[in-house]
């Protein structure tokens, strides 16, 4: 009777323990065989409906809410704005200018035209200019138009008021230095390369974050299932304690058997407490990765992983895995972008070592018109007193029998008809090209030594050699990661196979010990020990299964297949043709997540 009673309790305990991976259970009071186990509430976890979460849903929440991902996407947006800012150097600049100036000056010169020693002038000036650069060949242009209205008290002015106007255009074309590249175009090229670099860095960060999420998800799967196993074992141990206590009361068992059962229950209480702590830590780790802040509604909800199927193993040869990694790792693409930036600097500083020859062409038109004034005389000649003097001389010549003196020609005080008029006549004279000016000039700068440019060029060549070495070092590190991760997959699979075998063996050992106890060849202590070994084997199998899934995730990260595995596309990048799918039977169509800039993550279909 004693053996049968004990055996019944132990058999009930073993039968209620899951032999393999089961659906995880929330940390709630357990029901079933044995007394109910009420677990203490977990810190920071409020009661309510648990959040059932698949790995794909965890990935989506990470892409949408992870702070590191959002910051990296904002960096992409900032890099795009840097390009716009750099290209703004080619935006033409319009330069309007308007002014009014009144000048009163003292003038005592006989030819100064002053009245009572005072000369006054009012000038109303307006102009509109435009200057800019061309995006090709380094040219610079200037276009300028100006006009004014001048009014003066100068008594010798022939036009008052007068309306001078001018239009000019000039273009500067570098022939050597600055023709293929200059500082402005260099900044544009560097900004574009920097934008490419942020795309690569975003892809790298996404791969890292999604890998961390996968690791955390499988840790949570293990923690939830392990808590379920430990809680079930504790419930059955408590049932065994109650059964032994009844039998001691009935006199069919010794008191020491109760102590043994109580020791077993105390041990399971420790493992349950540790398992509950591990579950809380794993859950918080996953929440920190996939939620934006502690105000998120999911922050205080318990999470129940709903995807516990094993990831398929990857049967890739090492050489092919290394080729995939070298073709798809964003770190290498980022280093290629850094090398492209170095090539831009090398081109620029090589150009700076050349002499500067610029051809300058300029063409200017002038116009003038105004209101004509009645001449009051000239300080040089032609006044009314001169005419009276000439008349007196001719009179005296006639008395003396001499010929009269001829009247001298005009002194040029008259104004041409086309200069008479208003502001419109000035513009008409301007565009009639009556007064053009043309200029062609060659400007040269011949630096002696040019040490700064040569030193900068040498520095970029040194940086290029460093980048080449960094690529070799990075390729070596990537291959080492591929080797290690592939070995981890193989070793994890072997550990899982061994753990599964150990769990089956532990179950057989327990059943054997039960039969021995039934035959009177064993003790309660040995049966309880086999029960403990069975629970330990089950937990190790769960850990090995989680380790395998994590190892597969790390291998996909090593070969650069994490984004493809989850259907994530960064920017407008498309997976390279010829890339082997990370899983057999890869569908022609799959749901994809598009990530670019700070816009929301959208779901699409990649074909």
């Amino acid at each position: 009777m004693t053996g049968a009673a004990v055996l019944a309790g132990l058999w009930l305990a073993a039968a209620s323990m899951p032999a393999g991976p089961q659906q995880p259970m929330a940390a709630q009071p357990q029901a079933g065989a044995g007394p109910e186990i009420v677990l203490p509430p977990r810190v920071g976890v409020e009661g309510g409906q648990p959040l059932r979460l698949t790995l794909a849903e965890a990935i989506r929440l990470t892409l949408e809410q992870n702070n590191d991902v959002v910051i990296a996407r904002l960096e992409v947006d900032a890099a795009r704005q840097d390009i716009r800012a750099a290209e703004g150097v080619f935006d033409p600049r319009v330069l309007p200018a308007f002014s009014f100036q009144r000048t009163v000056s003292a003038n005592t010169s006989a030819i100064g035209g002053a009245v009572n020693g005072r000369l006054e002038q009012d000038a109303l000036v307006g102009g509109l200019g435009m200057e800019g650069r061309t995006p090709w060949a380094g040219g610079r242009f200037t276009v300028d138009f100006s006009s004014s209205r001048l009014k003066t008290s100068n008594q010798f002015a022939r036009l008052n008021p007068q309306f001078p106007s001018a239009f000019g255009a000039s273009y500067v074309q570098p022939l050597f230095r600055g023709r293929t590249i200059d500082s402005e175009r260099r900044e544009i090229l560097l900004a574009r390369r920097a934008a490419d670099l942020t795309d690569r860095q975003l892809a790298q960060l996404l791969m890292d974050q999604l890998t961390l999420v996968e690791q955390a998800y499988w840790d949570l799967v293990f923690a939830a299932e392990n808590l379920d196993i430990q809680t079930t074992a504790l419930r059955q141990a408590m049932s065994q304690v109650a059964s032994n206590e009844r039998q001691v009361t009935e006199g069919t068992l010794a008191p020491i058997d109760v102590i043994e059962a109580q020791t077993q229950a105390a041990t399971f209480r420790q493992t349950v407490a540790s398992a509950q702590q591990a579950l809380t830590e794993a859950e918080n780790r996953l929440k920190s990765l996939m939620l934006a802040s502690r105000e998120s509604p999911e922050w205080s909800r318990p999470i129940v992983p709903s995807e516990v199927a094993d990831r398929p193993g990857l049967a890739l040869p090492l050489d092919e895995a290394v080729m995939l990694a070298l073709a798809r790792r964003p770190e290498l693409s980022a280093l290629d972008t850094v090398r492209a930036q170095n090539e831009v600097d090398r081109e620029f500083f090589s150009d700076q070592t050349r002499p500067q020859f610029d051809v300058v062409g300029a063409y200017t038109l002038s116009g003038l018109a105004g209101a004509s004034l009645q001449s009051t005389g000239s300080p040089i000649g032609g006044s009314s007193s001169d005419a009276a003097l000439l008349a007196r001389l001719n009179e005296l010549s006639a008395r003396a029998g001499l010929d009269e003196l001829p009247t001298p020609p005009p002194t040029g005080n008259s104004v041409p008809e086309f200069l008479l008029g208003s502001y419109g006549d000035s513009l008409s004279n301007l565009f009639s090209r009556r007064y053009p000016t043309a200029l062609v000039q060659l400007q040269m700068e011949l630096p002696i030594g040019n040490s700064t440019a040569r030193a900068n060029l040498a520095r970029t060549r040194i940086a290029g050699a460093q980048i080449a070495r960094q690529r070799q070092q990075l390729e070596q590190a990537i291959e080492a990661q591929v080797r290690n991760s592939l070995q981890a997959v193989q070793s994890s699979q072997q550990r899982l196979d061994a753990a599964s075998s150990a769990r089956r063996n532990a179950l057989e050992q327990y059943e054997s010990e039960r039969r021995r106890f039934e035959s009177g060849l064993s003790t309660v202590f040995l049966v309880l020990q086999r029960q403990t070994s069975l629970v330990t084997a089950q937990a190790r199998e769960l850990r090995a299964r989680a380790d395998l899934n994590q190892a597969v995730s790390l291998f996909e990260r090593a070969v650069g297949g994490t984004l493809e595995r989850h259907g994530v596309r960064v920017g407008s990048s498309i997976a390279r043709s010829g890339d082997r799918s990370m899983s057999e039977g890869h569908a022609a169509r799959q749901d994809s997540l598009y990530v670019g800039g700070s816009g929301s993550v959208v779901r699409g279909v990649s074909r």
Side-chain angles (χ1 to χ4, degrees), residues 87 89-90 132-139 141 171 179-180 182 185 188:
E87 291 177 344
V89 71
F90 295 123
R133 306 177 63 92
T134 59
W136 56 87
F141 65 88
Y171 190 84
R179 183 174 63 86
T180 58
D182 51 30
R185 284 178 285 174
I188 293 174

Side-chain angles (χ1 to χ4, degrees), residues 215-412:
Q215 302 291 303
Y217 186 87
W218 293 117
D219 280 339
L220 181 60
V221 170
F222 163 75
E225 293 186 342
N226 184 53
L227 179 60
D228 184 33
I229 288 178
Q230 302 302 330
T231 304
T232 301
L234 175 59
R235 183 172 67 250
Q236 302 308 323
M238 295 297 296
S239 176
Q240 186 60 49
V241 170
S243 175
N244 287 4
E245 288 176 346
R246 287 194 305 270
Q247 295 182 68
V248 168
T249 303
E250 296 172 358
T252 58
L253 278 182
I256 191 62
D257 292 329
V258 175
I259 295 176
E260 290 178 353
Q262 290 174 343
T263 302
Q264 180 86 328
T267 301
F268 284 136
R269 285 194 188 94
Q270 298 177 48
T271 58
V272 166
S274 298
Q276 189 179 37
Q277 177 183 349
L279 175 62
T280 300
E281 293 175 352
E283 189 176 84
N284 288 332
R285 185 161 53 250
L286 180 60
K287 288 179 179 179
S288 298
L289 289 170
M290 69 180 188
L291 299 181
S293 67
R294 57 190 182 87
E295 283 78 21
S296 299
E298 297 86 0
W299 179 251
S300 298
R301 294 177 60 185
I303 296 179
V304 178
S306 57
E307 180 178 335
V308 295
D310 292 343
R311 295 282 297 278
L314 303 177
L316 283 181
L318 176 60
D319 293 342
E320 186 173 350
V322 171
M323 291 179 60
L324 279 175
L326 297 180
R328 298 193 298 189
R329 286 287 289 266
E331 297 94 324
L332 291 174
S333 299
L335 193 59
D336 290 340
T337 303
V338 174
R339 182 176 59 186
Q341 290 177 323
N342 177 261
E343 291 174 354
V344 171
D345 285 338
R346 183 185 305 178
E347 180 183 1
F348 172 72
F349 289 120
S350 177
D351 183 79
Q352 292 296 299
T353 61
R354 307 168 70 182
Q356 185 167 355
F357 287 81
D358 295 344
V359 174
V360 180
Y363 186 75
T364 304
L365 297 175
S366 299
L368 180 65
S372 177
L373 293 178
Q374 184 67 32
S375 177
T376 59
S378 170
I380 299 177
S383 64
S384 58
S385 60
D386 294 336
L389 178 61
L390 180 61
R392 182 60 177 165
L393 289 175
N394 285 336
E395 180 182 354
L396 293 176
S397 296
R399 291 178 181 180
L402 299 175
D403 295 335
E404 294 183 354
L405 295 175
T407 302
T411 59

Side-chain angles (χ1 to χ4, degrees), residues 8 14-16 51 62 81 144 201 272 275 315 317-318 381 483 563 582 593:
S16 62
L51 174 63
T62 301
Q81 297 305 317
D144 180 74
Q201 291 172 341
V272 166
L318 176 60
R483 290 182 178 183
L563 301 184
M582 294 306 300
L593 297 174

Side-chain angles (χ1 to χ4, degrees), residues 121-136:
Q121 179 174 298
D122 294 339
L124 179 62
V125 182
L128 183 64
M130 183 173 67
E131 61 182 22
R133 306 177 63 92
T134 59
W136 56 87

Side-chain angles (χ1 to χ4, degrees), residues 1 25 35 72 74 82 95 107 110 132 141 186 189-190 242 293 340 386 426 463 471 528 533 548 563:
M1 178 176 178
M25 301 178 64
L74 291 174
D82 289 340
L95 308 172
N107 193 317
F141 65 88
R186 175 200 177 207
L189 293 174
L190 290 178
S293 67
D386 294 336
S426 176
R471 183 175 181 87
L528 293 176
S533 299
L548 175 60
L563 301 184

Side-chain angles (χ1 to χ4, degrees), residues 165-168 363-367 429-437:
S165 58
F167 175 81
Y363 186 75
T364 304
L365 297 175
S366 299
N429 292 330
L430 173 70
F431 293 108
S432 296
R433 295 184 293 179
R434 292 182 182 274
Y435 309 106
T437 302

